[in-house]
Amino acid sequence: MPDTETFGHEPVDSNGTQRCVRCWTKGQEYDDEYGDSRRYPPSKVRWPCTSAIVLGLARRP
């Protein structure tokens, strides 16, 4: 692995599936255009994510 900044894009095991720890969130709160509090659904991004490929952290599958 190259000695570069990962910006949080690193592999993590999730029930036997490799996911990007930065892209794989458990849901984040946000306010919609009406000011109501909502949650983003969890991401299903598998490793390597596009950012990891662009940063040179992983090869394109």
Side-chain angles (χ1 to χ4, degrees), residues 5-45:
E5 176 62 47
T6 66
F7 299 99
H9 296 279
E10 298 174 9
V12 65
D13 185 59
S14 169
N15 296 326
T17 302
Q18 290 287 319
R19 303 218 185 263
C20 175
V21 73
R22 169 108 189 233
C23 296
W24 179 61
T25 60
K26 294 184 172 90
Q28 297 175 335
E29 291 187 21
Y30 71 99
D31 292 333
D32 66 10
E33 62 270 20
Y34 304 107
D36 296 327
S37 181
R38 305 272 188 219
R39 289 185 72 79
Y40 287 113
S43 173
K44 303 284 186 194
V45 177

